Amino acid sequence: SLRRLGTDYIAFNGKLNPALRDRRVRQALSMAIDRDFIANKLLRGGHTPAFSFVPPGIASYVPGGVKPYWGDWPLARRQAMARALLAQAGYGPGHPLKVELKHRNSADPMLFMPAIQADMKDIGVQMQLVQNESQIAYAAYRARDFQIADAAWIADYNDPQSDRKS
């Protein structure tokens, strides 16, 4: 999502949850997030669904952006493919994927993390949310003490080479 030339994202750590080492699992989780709902309904105006770290509006941004092959699919098609990918990886109704998402307790994540949790439930994933004060969350991220983590990248200046994280 666009926020002062920034992008909110989630990161995966396969060391604490071996299921996340499987590319199909990571792709399924990413596909299932309803970015349009988060950007256009939950967050205040000016947000755009994002598929990469470089947000729309930043200098030299390619119109249309860089999207995965499924980026323009409707949500129902993405959810169906996500369920299929999870099934290929050995997860389904009889053996659900269980993950923990550690997130910052700042305003935007507190608003959209329950939506991501609901998106995961829609594809049969049991996601537990663990909220932390931002400094504590980032300390845990640096120590790789997370299965899935939310974070944000905000540009210091209007160039994709800027590398400040929030």
Side-chain angles (χ1 to χ4, degrees):
S1 66
L2 176 64
R3 184 181 79 199
R4 298 176 313 248
L5 293 179
T7 304
D8 289 292
Y9 63 96
I10 59 173
F12 301 104
N13 181 0
K15 288 187 178 180
L16 287 188
N17 187 331
L20 298 173
R21 293 181 194 149
D22 191 320
R23 182 179 186 272
R24 297 169 298 187
V25 169
R26 295 188 310 271
Q27 184 173 350
L29 298 179
S30 184
M31 291 176 114
I33 296 172
D34 189 350
R35 291 165 174 81
D36 289 320
F37 175 76
I38 292 169
N40 298 318
K41 302 284 190 216
L42 287 181
L43 299 176
R44 293 152 306 284
H47 289 78
T48 302
F51 293 91
S52 67
F53 281 108
V54 179
I58 205 159
S60 302
Y61 181 79
V62 178
V66 178
K67 286 185 181 177
Y69 69 90
W70 46 265
D72 288 323
W73 291 3
L75 180 61
R77 182 176 177 193
R78 293 195 329 258
Q79 289 173 327
M81 178 60 84
R83 286 185 204 96
L85 289 168
L86 289 170
Q88 290 171 19
Y91 298 99
H95 183 243
L97 175 63
K98 297 177 182 178
V99 295
E100 178 184 281
L101 191 155
K102 193 169 283 191
H103 68 91
R104 303 161 289 148
N105 67 355
S106 49
D108 285 353
M110 292 295 291
L111 195 58
F112 61 73
M113 285 303 144
I116 291 175
Q117 183 182 41
D119 292 339
M120 296 304 114
K121 184 177 181 184
D122 287 345
I123 61 164
V125 173
Q126 297 175 8
M127 176 177 277
Q128 178 183 357
L129 299 179
V130 177
Q131 61 179 282
N132 291 114
E133 192 276 325
S134 291
Q135 286 185 323
I136 292 169
Y138 277 107
Y141 302 166
R142 283 189 298 276
R144 305 292 187 257
D145 180 21
F146 65 90
Q147 293 181 24
I148 303 174
D150 99 288
W153 176 85
I154 299 174
D156 287 328
Y157 48 90
N158 192 5
D159 189 283
Q161 295 298 315
S162 173
D163 72 348
R164 184 175 129 219
K165 291 196 172 72
S166 166

